[in-house]
Amino acid sequence: MPARRALFAAIACGAVAAPPVLAAPAVSVTDVARWQVQAAHVSIARDTWGVPHVTGKTDADAVFGLMYAQAEDDFPRVELNYINAMGRLAEVEGERELYRDLRMKLFIDPLELQAQYRASPPWLRKLMDAFADGLNFYLATHPHVKPRLIAHFEPWMALSFSEGSIGGDIESINLAQFEAFYGQQARPATVALASVETGLEPEPSGSNGFAIAPAITKNGHALLMINPHTSFYFRPEVQVTSGEGLNAYGAVTWGQFFVYQGFNDRLGWMHTSGGGDVIDEYLESIVDKDGAWFYRYDGGLRALKSVPITLPYKLANGGMGSKTITVYYSHHGPIVRALDGKWVAVRLMNEPLKALTQSYTRTKARDYAAFYQTMELRTNSSNNTVYADADGNIAYFHGNFIPVRDPRFNWKQPIDGSDLATEWKGLHTVAQTITLFNPKNGWIQNTNNWPYSAAGANSPRQQDYPAYMSVYGENARGLHAVKVFQNKTGFTLDSLIAASYDSELTAFEALLPPLFAAYDALPAGDAQQLALADKVALLRAWDWRYSLTSTATSLAVFWGQELAELAGKQAREQGVPVVDFLATEKVTAAQRLAAMATAADKLQRDFGNWQTPWGEINRFQRLTGDVVQPFDDAQPSLPVPYASGNWGALAAYGQSSKSTTRRIYGERGNSFVAAVEFGPRIKAKSILAGGQSGDPTSPHFKDQAAMYARGEFKEVLFYPEDVAKHLERRYRPGE
């Protein structure tokens, strides 16, 4: 919009008065002039899918443009991520979010983050400045956009959200138990644990990462599959380049200025959730002494630190209220719950400056040695990393932030906080953690599972590492991935995509035989045997593969869900993953058969036929730009063949919220997916769930949805000449 640019130029030189939105205290004529200068160094090229290819003269210019482009695509999600990260949800959502805010504020202190910003190296301060300026320039040039809370972004805010996982370490603290503890306004005491849930785990919020070495590819180039399983629309697709060597393409978490999962022209990285034990709980023995609280440590007493935290919240009438809650800390960390008469302190990584540094610098690494150097910062706390590069290397890092601990203790359980021997003893170096580099088999896989099948027979050995270095077991997706990659050669981009979308639901290989045995044990002519005969026959003939037309997939999935409802509580009480537990003898024959009868009845009731094709049930629908999506069986939707990762689907697709519809509507699973070939020239393909924009009026709101449902990828436009051939619009911020 030339008129808009002219207006800002006039404001900058003082020729005209600024409109009211620019006259706000947070926006000065000096700000406008500075933003205009920086915008002139930035180009945003939108391709025909709406993907922004942002180019800046410097890295800071590129960050400025990247944040502006993100705000264009979905400012509400950008803002919400920072509202949440800073513990301010209750200010827009009301009192029900007070304890979620309090949980964040145990670790997020604006004054501390401001001090860390001031102590940052100059290059990083420039990036944080550009982060805030890009968002503020967007708000200044879009006065119709009304923030819910954050009308002005500050550079230090980038440190509150420095790691791109869908659920950071802080969110692992059980919110119900936390609220129960601090909800007692007097002196918190022993609190019972939250009730144990039943049913299947929610759709896993993990990911798949696959790397293929040149020796088993058709073209002799390394390949990387980037397949995060997040909530849909959690990350858009971007490219950001600069004259200072930045050239990153991939998925960026809304509001962050670094590509979280992606690649540059030399190498690529894929993060999968999981890894080693990064969070520990300490049982603190509390002593009330002369009206003050202490805890036992190393034969003596230490005073608990008490900190009053004031929490503003929105009232029902639109006004604001506040509540002050005193929280407590031992030297291990904040107290978050009570257990068996003791208080539980949690210790986890809280290094926002180092984490932000690592998150950004890895995007500029040019080879394995440089990437490894970024890993030595050891602040990628909640992730594993699968890696591939143009030199033909593939690699795997199981975790990154791993405290050194005494292996005599069971670190999966809360431990005695009074014992000096339970202290962390620094961090393991990357070399001491579980890693792989160019395994002989030529492939690496991780599906949030343990690392001991990451490279088949060439995987790390469990006995070589302390138990706390890997806390997850094997899962159905991991078993599936090994099947797909073992003894295969000649991989191409397309065959890697096909392997990553292999349709087997591996979990049913173990789950169905006990059902068949239970059925076969019924007396001949038994009423239950007669009622289930055709259902069991359908599943006996099934090949465990999903498809749009498969009625067996529908029956198997509904049966698995019903069986989980019957046995899920027992599984959780025994600390066993629900799907694993369902295959054991602890689930009775009667439960297996009853679940089958219930599943068939539900299909019959909801869809008019217990033999309903999977594609009639499993759907994709995007009706609004709301962060929490509404679903409606009466509105148009697309059939989707994929299934929940719980059952071993590599292309994961599931509903994570409580269903209010007959059909299943995907909310989590395959989101941004990309396959990359690292030859002399990058070749890549990608797909997004829905589309790039969060605006329902945009042509890019769901223009990729049909392709996504078919498993059809678009060509990645990595080079400027390719973008130019498929250009929708080129502009500078503010135009």
Side-chain angles (χ1 to χ4, degrees):
M1 293 180 286
R4 175 76 69 180
R5 292 188 68 195
L7 172 63
F8 274 94
I11 294 170
C13 69
V16 299
V21 68
L22 297 179
V27 180
S28 68
V29 169
T30 302
D31 288 332
V32 172
R34 180 167 49 83
W35 294 337
Q36 285 292 89
V37 169
Q38 191 151 33
H41 296 153
V42 179
S43 170
I44 302 173
R46 295 276 183 176
D47 67 27
T48 50
W49 298 103
V51 174
H53 303 260
V54 181
T55 303
K57 182 178 180 180
T58 66
D59 282 9
D61 294 334
V63 165
F64 178 93
L66 176 62
M67 301 316 301
Y68 184 94
Q70 285 187 54
E72 286 184 301
D73 285 335
D74 205 327
F75 178 79
R77 279 184 168 81
V78 171
E79 184 192 16
L80 182 60
N81 278 345
Y82 282 93
I83 292 173
N84 179 62
M86 294 188 293
R88 301 185 66 184
L89 268 178
E91 294 177 53
V92 294
E93 298 291 346
E95 192 173 7
R96 69 178 184 273
E97 298 293 356
L98 272 181
Y99 290 92
R100 191 180 303 276
D101 285 353
L102 182 64
R103 183 177 64 177
M104 296 301 295
K105 288 182 176 179
L106 293 176
F107 300 93
I108 301 297
D109 179 354
L111 294 178
E112 173 60 27
L113 295 184
Q114 290 164 28
Q116 290 194 33
Y117 163 76
R118 292 189 294 271
S120 300
W123 69 266
L124 187 56
R125 282 204 307 275
K126 288 180 181 178
L127 300 186
M128 288 189 272
D129 291 344
F131 146 84
D133 286 344
L135 292 173
N136 291 329
F137 188 49
Y138 169 80
L139 290 174
T141 54
H142 294 75
H144 64 281
V145 174
K146 304 300 182 185
R148 300 180 71 192
L149 181 67
I150 307 175
H152 184 79
F153 287 81
E154 298 289 343
W156 61 266
M157 292 180 180
L159 291 165
S160 71
F161 190 32
S162 57
E163 205 273 354
S165 293
I166 191 166
D169 294 342
I170 295 173
E171 294 185 18
S172 67
I173 297 169
N174 185 288
L175 191 58
Q177 296 172 8
F178 180 70
E179 181 173 353
F181 184 81
Y182 282 112
Q184 301 178 88
Q185 286 303 294
R187 297 165 69 85
T190 301
V191 180
L193 295 178
S195 60
V196 179
E197 295 178 355
T198 61
L200 198 65
E201 284 97 346
E203 183 59 31
S205 57
S207 302
N208 297 337
F210 306 138
I212 311 296
I216 61 170
T217 66
K218 182 178 179 180
N219 296 329
H221 305 144
L223 301 173
L224 181 66
M225 171 55 69
I226 299 170
N227 183 195
H229 295 166
T230 68
S231 54
F232 295 165
Y233 329 121
F234 182 69
R235 298 189 184 108
E237 183 173 353
V238 304
Q239 184 178 22
V240 56
T241 64
S242 81
E244 295 180 334
L246 177 65
N247 188 5
Y249 192 109
V252 59
T253 306
W254 293 111
Q256 294 183 325
F257 62 76
F258 53 86
V259 170
Y260 180 67
Q261 291 160 319
F263 55 96
N264 58 37
D265 60 321
R266 291 284 305 160
L267 55 83
W269 59 97
M270 169 60 208
H271 299 309
T272 58
S273 300
D277 183 352
V278 300
I279 302 171
D280 286 321
E281 291 188 321
Y282 289 84
L283 296 172
E284 309 290 19
S285 300
I286 304 301
V287 176
D288 187 341
K289 183 179 179 182
D290 300 327
W293 282 356
F294 296 79
Y295 63 101
R296 300 189 185 281
Y297 183 70
D298 194 27
L301 292 178
R302 286 193 177 188
L304 274 177
K305 178 183 177 183
S306 62
V307 179
I309 296 179
T310 299
L311 301 158
Y313 62 93
K314 184 178 180 179
L315 297 171
N317 63 8
M320 292 297 294
S322 68
K323 189 172 189 176
T324 299
I325 299 175
T326 299
V327 297
Y328 301 93
Y329 294 78
S330 74
H331 73 283
H332 294 123
I335 304 297
V336 296
R337 64 187 178 101
L339 179 65
D340 298 333
K342 297 185 178 182
W343 290 8
V344 180
V346 68
R347 187 171 188 183
L348 50 79
M349 187 195 83
N350 189 19
E351 296 274 5
L353 181 55
K354 287 177 65 176
L356 186 60
T357 300
Q358 181 171 355
S359 293
Y360 185 79
T361 56
R362 66 169 164 251
T363 70
K364 295 188 70 173
R366 305 294 296 158
D367 55 27
Y368 179 73
F371 191 89
Y372 193 99
Q373 186 176 5
T374 70
M375 295 295 286
E376 284 288 11
L377 287 169
R378 292 174 288 175
T379 48
N380 189 21
S381 64
S382 62
N383 295 308
N384 310 312
T385 303
V386 181
Y387 168 98
D389 68 30
D391 295 321
N393 299 310
I394 63 172
Y396 176 71
F397 303 86
H398 194 75
N400 187 236
F401 173 88
I402 308 289
V404 179
R405 306 167 173 97
D406 188 329
R408 295 175 300 163
F409 297 99
N410 178 7
W411 294 92
K412 292 182 179 180
Q413 302 295 328
I415 54 176
D416 183 1
S418 68
D419 188 344
L420 187 64
T422 64
E423 293 294 343
W424 288 359
K425 301 169 179 63
L427 297 179
H428 283 283
T429 65
V430 175
Q432 292 170 338
T433 62
I434 305 172
T435 61
L436 281 166
F437 182 67
N438 293 335
K440 292 180 180 179
N441 57 298
W443 53 265
I444 290 171
Q445 64 84 18
N446 186 258
T447 63
N448 321 114
N449 57 335
W450 64 4
Y452 308 120
S453 63
N458 300 103
S459 302
R461 302 189 312 164
Q462 187 172 10
Q463 61 267 33
D464 293 340
Y465 300 94
Y468 60 73
M469 278 201 178
S470 180
V471 296
Y472 289 179
E474 184 59 281
N475 62 29
R477 283 182 291 129
L479 295 171
H480 190 178
V482 171
K483 276 188 177 184
V484 164
F485 292 113
Q486 198 144 4
N487 302 319
K488 303 291 194 313
T489 60
F491 280 101
T492 64
L493 272 185
D494 289 337
S495 67
L496 175 58
I497 291 170
S500 303
Y501 277 66
D502 186 81
S503 61
E504 184 175 288
L505 298 180
T506 307
F508 289 105
E509 181 178 4
L511 292 176
L512 288 175
L515 169 68
F516 300 153
Y519 175 81
D520 292 341
L522 290 172
D526 180 88
Q528 192 174 30
Q529 184 190 58
L530 294 175
L532 297 180
D534 46 0
K535 287 83 175 175
V536 171
L538 178 65
L539 293 181
R540 284 191 200 272
W542 185 42
D543 59 3
W544 315 321
R545 292 190 175 276
Y546 60 67
S547 72
L548 293 178
T549 59
S550 173
T551 58
T553 300
S554 304
L555 183 61
V557 168
F558 274 58
W559 169 71
Q561 291 171 341
E562 293 299 331
L563 190 61
E565 286 295 324
L566 293 174
K569 180 179 179 180
Q570 189 179 357
R572 289 184 171 88
E573 287 173 343
Q574 297 186 24
V576 178
V578 175
V579 172
D580 292 350
F581 186 83
L582 298 184
T584 69
E585 294 180 354
K586 295 178 181 179
V587 178
T588 67
Q591 287 176 314
R592 298 182 194 281
L593 296 171
M596 178 55 65
T598 302
D601 289 346
K602 184 175 182 180
L603 283 165
Q604 186 72 37
R605 180 181 68 251
D606 288 350
F607 301 100
N609 190 337
W610 66 267
Q611 296 187 77
T612 299
W614 182 234
E616 291 295 315
I617 299 170
N618 201 50
R619 313 288 289 190
F620 178 91
Q621 188 178 77
R622 192 180 194 190
L623 300 176
T624 73
D626 296 348
V627 173
V628 179
Q629 290 284 298
F631 299 109
D632 186 346
D633 286 334
Q635 296 297 317
S637 60
L638 295 170
V640 176
Y642 325 130
S644 169
N646 284 310
W647 308 123
L650 294 179
Y653 189 85
Q655 188 164 350
S656 52
S657 64
K658 185 174 178 59
S659 178
T660 59
T661 58
R662 292 181 301 110
R663 287 171 154 172
I664 297 170
Y665 295 99
E667 294 175 279
R668 185 189 293 271
N670 277 25
S671 47
F672 165 78
V673 190
V676 192
E677 180 177 348
F678 294 96
R681 183 178 174 87
I682 289 288
K683 294 180 182 178
K685 296 184 176 183
S686 68
I687 193 67
L688 273 176
Q692 178 73 19
S693 175
D695 180 0
T697 67
S698 167
H700 305 302
F701 180 66
K702 54 182 179 182
D703 56 337
Q704 298 183 51
M707 293 172 62
Y708 171 89
R710 295 193 299 267
E712 178 184 334
F713 282 48
K714 63 186 186 294
E715 297 286 341
V716 164
L717 305 172
F718 187 78
Y719 295 97
E721 59 269 28
D722 296 325
V723 175
K725 294 174 185 176
H726 303 274
L727 186 65
E728 183 175 84
R729 182 186 174 212
R730 190 185 302 275
Y731 59 101
R732 299 189 186 282
E735 294 181 343

